């Protein structure tokens, strides 16, 4: 299916995705155990799997009933490949019906925790208690196992909660070992991977880094690569990898639109000139952007101007390199695995269509053509972070909060001006300093970076109004700053952070005291939905 799978075939576990809400999670859990895993569409053929030569298969759960008209099916020849296979939930049921067993629609569904009772010795449940808590989410259930299978465990309402045919190395559970609520889920996965499949745990950051570096060298040869480096996590990790693989053959273009946060351009320049050996180009486009944005108030218009100018600046660098006898063959991008999955590559069964859609997103000028290089396209976000740390990127880049491409322009309501930018940068720096400290306190207490109450994204907004205040003996007529701080995991939904009063008070008094032109601070206490995280 992909180059990646082919290269690591001996140690890859393919997850056949039947539309499970937990599909990605299964691949994640397997990778947590240092075994490479990828999602593939459930309609993959036995021949395609044979060509990929994975070490094992996992059949995911899925929302359908196996007898529904549009239920996803599986090529039955997959069960004849001789590969160890583990099915969960829908995967368990489809294994049963494909091999001659039966699934019945039960009146009483089973959703949530259940007690699993072992009734037969099985390698799959080794080192776990005879009775244990598992997570169920199903209505249909296997009512008769296929020939050659043994029932190894049940629950009060599910007679076949686990079954296996050890001769054919086929295993399946009605419950979900991949979710944390299944108490011994990790041990069950370990048993499958290491005891049953005898897979080697070789998906470690050191090995991955080395493999990626080699792959980039092979792909690129003597050619030149260009990267739009934003200073965000993904593009920074690509730059750091590129530095290790091909050094100055890679030109990292950092377009400074003047809309970044205080100190950020300097930090990015320092890291990629002092720490990493790449050809770093700092494009000072601040004045060009200021002129283009002058008097523009519509948020979408701001976005359009900033986006279009970004690529104008970027292609100007590419053309300059060409004029200087350094033509660019490759465009490196920080595309990550969820982008690939979400953009529907799976549905079309391969990556080709995704690459095209990425190209389509970028308005290449006529006659410009780049080959794409996307070294992170099989990594989950937290793996990208791990890789960044392994490559020596500083924590403030690796754990940087999300920041919109149009930058501070969409946090200044109304027209952008140099004075407003200055005000917002100073206020935002205070918000970040105080809330970084608050997050660090929580981190120290829990030892976990994403503790439930830490702020996920936090920043300042400058609205287009003024209000009256009094400072010393003088009346002021100045601007407010709005504080936005949210808890979220994916930006799709968010809740306003319940910050302690003393943290809010500290932020408020510092901003009013330290930022000229500001006399008031308000806190946005709206969740998303109905609001969005950004104000524009
Ligand atoms: P909203 O405001 O839609 O934001 O709740 C969700 C997440 O996306 C970020 N965001 C952007 N990122 N370009 C970006 O690269 C944009 O135009 C943009 N607008 C919003 C926002 O910071 C939040 O994390």
């Amino acid at each position: 299916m992909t180059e990646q799978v082919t290269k690591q075939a001996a140690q890859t576990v393919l997850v056949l995705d039947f539309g499970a809400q937990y599909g990605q999670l299964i691949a994640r859990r397997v990778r947590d155990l240092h075994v490479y895993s990828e999602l593939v569409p459930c309609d993959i053929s036995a021949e395609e799997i044979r060509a990929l030569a994975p070490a094992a298969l996992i059949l995911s759960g899925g929302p359908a009933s196996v007898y529904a008209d549009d239920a996803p099916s599986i090529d039955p020849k997959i069960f004849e490949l001789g590969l160890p296979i583990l099915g969960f939930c829908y995967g368990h049921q489809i294994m049963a019906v494909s091999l001659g067993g039966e699934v019945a629609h039960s009146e009483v569904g089973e959703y949530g925790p259940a007690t699993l009772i072992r009734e037969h010795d099985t390698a799959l449940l080794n080192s776990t208690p005879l009775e244990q808590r598992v997570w169920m989410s199903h209505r249909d259930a296997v009512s008769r196992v296929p020939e050659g299978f043994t029932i190894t465990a049940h629950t009060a309402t599910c007679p076949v909660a686990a079954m296996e045919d050890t001769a054919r190395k086929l295993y399946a559970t009605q419950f979900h070992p991949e979710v944390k609520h299944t108490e011994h889920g990790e041990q069950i996965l370990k048993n499958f991977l290491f005891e049953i499949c005898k897979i080697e745990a070789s998906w470690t950051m050191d090995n991955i880094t080395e493999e990626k570096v080699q792959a980039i060298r092979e792909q690129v040869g003597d050619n030149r690569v260009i990267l739009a480096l934003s200073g965000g996590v993904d593009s920074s990790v690509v730059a750091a990898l590129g530095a290790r693989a091909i050094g100055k053959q890679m030109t990292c273009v950092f377009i400074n639109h003047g809309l970044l946060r205080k100190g950020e351009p300097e930090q990015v320049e320092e890291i990629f000139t002092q720490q990493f050996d790449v050809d770093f180009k700092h494009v000072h486009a601040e004045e060009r952007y200021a002129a283009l944005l002058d008097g523009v108030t519509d948020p979408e218009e701001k976005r359009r101007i900033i986006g279009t100018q970004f690529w104008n600046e970027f292609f100007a660098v590419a053309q300059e390199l060409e004029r200087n006898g350094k033509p660019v063959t490759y465009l490196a991008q920080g595309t990550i695995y969820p982008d690939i999955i979400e953009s529907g590559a799976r549905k079309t069964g391969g990556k080709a269509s995704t690459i095209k859609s990425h190209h389509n997103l970028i308005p290449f000028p006529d006659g410009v053509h780049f080959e794409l290089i996307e070294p992170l396209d099989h990594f989950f976000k937290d793996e990208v972070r791990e890789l960044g740390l392994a490559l020596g990127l500083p924590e403030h880049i690796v754990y940087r909060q999300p920041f919109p491409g149009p930058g501070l322009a969409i946090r200044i309501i109304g027209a952008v001006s140099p004075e407003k930018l200055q005000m917002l940068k100073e206020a935002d720096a205070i918000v970040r300093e105080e809330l970084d400290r608050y997050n660090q306190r929580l981190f120290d207490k829990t030892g976990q970076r994403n503790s439930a109450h830490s702020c996920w994204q936090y920043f300042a907004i400058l609205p287009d109004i003024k209000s009256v205040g009094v400072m010393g003996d003088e009346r002021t007529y100045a601007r407010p700053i709005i504080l936005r701080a949210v808890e979220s995991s994916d930006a799709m939904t968010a809740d306003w952070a319940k910050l302690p009063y003393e943290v809010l008070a500290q932020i408020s008094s510092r901003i009013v005291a330290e930022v000229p032109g500001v006399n008031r601070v308000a806190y946005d206490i709206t969740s998303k939905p109905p609001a969005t995280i950004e104000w524009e």
Side-chain angles (χ1 to χ4, degrees):
M1 174 134 312
T2 68
E3 190 194 345
Q4 180 106 17
V5 178
T6 325
K7 280 218 179 96
Q8 305 178 2
Q11 297 301 321
T12 295
V13 172
L14 294 182
V15 177
L16 272 63
D17 181 11
F18 290 92
Q21 69 194 109
Y22 303 127
Q24 279 197 43
L25 194 56
I26 300 173
R28 241 345 322 235
R29 294 275 178 263
V30 173
R31 290 192 194 185
D32 282 344
L33 298 171
H34 303 298
V35 173
Y36 185 70
S37 178
E38 259 192 40
L39 282 179
V40 291
C42 61
D43 57 4
I44 188 169
S45 69
E47 269 323 298
E48 284 173 303
I49 291 183
R50 194 200 305 278
L52 297 171
L57 305 179
I58 294 180
L59 314 181
S60 84
S65 159
V66 280
Y67 295 127
D69 286 343
D70 54 354
S73 57
I74 186 170
D75 178 353
K77 293 209 181 66
I78 288 174
F79 296 105
E80 294 162 18
L81 290 170
L83 288 171
I85 303 179
L86 175 60
F88 302 151
C89 197
Y90 188 87
H92 163 79
Q93 296 170 11
I94 199 127
M95 185 186 289
V97 291
S98 303
L99 297 171
E102 264 174 27
V103 167
H105 188 69
S106 65
E107 284 314 310
V108 194
E110 208 180 8
Y111 301 95
T115 302
L116 183 81
I117 300 161
R118 194 178 323 173
E119 53 187 275
H120 210 280
D121 229 17
T122 163
L124 193 66
L125 298 177
N126 267 355
S127 312
T128 69
L130 291 176
E131 287 195 12
Q132 56 189 294
R133 196 161 50 84
V134 296
W135 191 259
M136 290 285 198
S137 178
H138 67 109
R139 185 170 277 274
D140 293 357
V142 173
S143 50
R144 188 168 55 79
V145 299
E147 218 176 291
F149 274 75
T150 308
I151 300 171
T152 53
H154 65 270
T155 69
T157 52
C158 178
V160 188
M163 63 175 192
E164 66 188 31
D165 177 346
T166 51
R168 287 190 280 176
K169 293 197 221 139
L170 303 178
Y171 297 78
T173 68
Q174 180 57 65
F175 59 91
H176 290 271
E178 73 277 25
V179 305
K180 291 281 180 206
H181 310 285
T182 293
E183 229 177 342
H184 299 282
E186 185 181 298
Q187 183 62 44
I188 294 169
L189 272 178
K190 276 187 186 164
N191 290 342
F192 177 68
L193 298 173
F194 306 125
E195 286 198 32
I196 294 168
C197 305
K198 312 273 186 239
I199 295 176
E200 203 184 308
S202 57
W203 173 251
T204 60
M205 272 309 143
D206 281 348
N207 290 347
I208 296 162
T209 311
E210 226 14 73
E211 210 170 84
K212 281 282 149 202
V213 163
Q214 286 306 335
I216 293 174
R217 281 184 190 147
E218 274 170 35
Q219 188 181 353
V220 169
D222 292 336
N223 295 301
R224 176 154 294 276
V225 180
I226 195 166
L227 167 75
L229 177 64
S230 67
V233 188
D234 304 336
S235 65
S236 297
V237 173
V238 173
L241 254 182
R244 169 112 33 124
I246 51 171
K248 286 200 156 43
Q249 254 172 279
M250 179 164 192
T251 299
C252 295
V253 184
F254 174 63
I255 294 162
N256 186 349
H257 49 23
L259 306 165
L260 292 171
R261 292 168 288 193
K262 185 179 175 184
E264 231 164 18
E266 295 79 8
Q267 277 171 0
V268 173
E269 171 154 353
E270 165 157 358
I271 292 166
F272 291 100
T273 52
Q274 309 294 314
Q275 238 183 295
F276 292 95
D277 186 31
V278 289
D279 177 32
F280 180 82
K281 292 240 178 306
H282 189 148
V283 179
H284 283 282
E286 297 96 314
E287 287 181 10
R288 290 188 287 278
Y289 274 91
L292 286 167
L293 288 170
D294 190 29
V296 178
T297 55
D298 180 67
E300 287 315 302
E301 184 63 4
K302 287 182 191 171
R303 277 200 168 79
R304 195 192 56 74
I305 291 171
I306 294 166
T308 308
Q309 184 61 16
F310 181 86
W311 292 110
N312 291 343
E313 300 282 349
F314 185 77
F315 290 125
V317 176
Q319 277 155 357
E320 188 192 315
L321 285 166
E322 178 120 24
R323 279 198 301 279
N324 294 337
K326 292 177 169 179
V328 178
T329 311
Y330 289 97
L331 172 69
Q333 292 210 112
T335 315
I336 67 171
Y337 197 35
D339 302 332
I340 297 276
I341 295 173
E342 279 150 28
S343 69
R346 307 183 276 168
K347 293 193 193 92
T348 53
K351 275 177 57 195
S353 59
T354 315
I355 287 172
K356 227 165 46 198
S357 73
H358 283 311
H359 267 300
N360 288 343
L361 284 180
I362 303 167
F364 287 171
D366 280 350
V368 174
H369 176 77
F370 296 122
E371 298 292 319
L372 277 192
I373 167 165
E374 299 180 301
L376 308 181
D377 65 351
H378 283 72
F379 289 89
F380 289 104
K381 191 79 182 185
D382 45 355
E383 291 171 330
V384 172
R385 294 205 163 97
E386 241 183 281
L387 185 58
L389 290 176
L391 287 163
L393 279 171
E395 287 215 351
H396 65 82
I397 293 262
V398 169
Y399 292 103
R400 201 178 88 138
Q401 51 175 306
F403 185 67
L408 300 180
I410 58 162
R411 293 178 180 171
I412 292 175
I413 313 304
V416 177
S417 71
E419 299 72 39
K420 287 185 198 167
L421 262 175
Q422 183 59 23
M423 218 181 275
L424 184 59
K425 279 184 191 174
E426 294 301 328
D428 186 72
I430 294 171
V431 170
R432 281 191 293 142
E433 198 183 311
E434 293 299 328
L435 290 182
D436 282 349
R437 193 178 301 143
Y438 167 71
N439 268 351
Q440 186 61 41
R441 251 171 36 210
L442 291 177
F443 176 58
D444 290 344
K445 230 197 270 174
T446 62
Q448 282 190 334
R449 190 160 286 279
N450 287 318
S451 106
H453 297 289
S454 65
C455 291
W456 190 77
Q457 196 174 2
Y458 37 97
F459 52 89
I461 295 141
L462 185 67
D464 199 17
I465 52 171
K466 286 186 174 178
S467 75
V468 174
V470 56
M471 276 167 137
D473 290 332
E474 270 181 49
R475 176 187 184 276
T476 57
Y477 187 55
R479 293 193 177 274
I481 281 288
I482 292 159
L483 168 65
R484 185 74 165 136
V486 296
E487 294 167 5
S488 176
S489 58
D490 55 9
M492 302 296 284
T493 60
D495 198 5
W496 59 280
K498 313 295 181 297
L499 295 173
Y501 287 155
E502 72 270 15
V503 174
L504 290 169
Q506 170 77 355
I507 291 173
S508 165
S509 51
R510 275 198 62 194
I511 289 179
V512 173
E514 295 174 33
V515 185
V518 176
N519 66 352
R520 195 180 285 274
V521 174
Y523 188 29
D524 179 351
I525 52 166
T526 338
S527 59
K528 172 184 178 177
T532 50
I533 297 176
E534 302 288 348
W535 270 47
E536 282 199 339

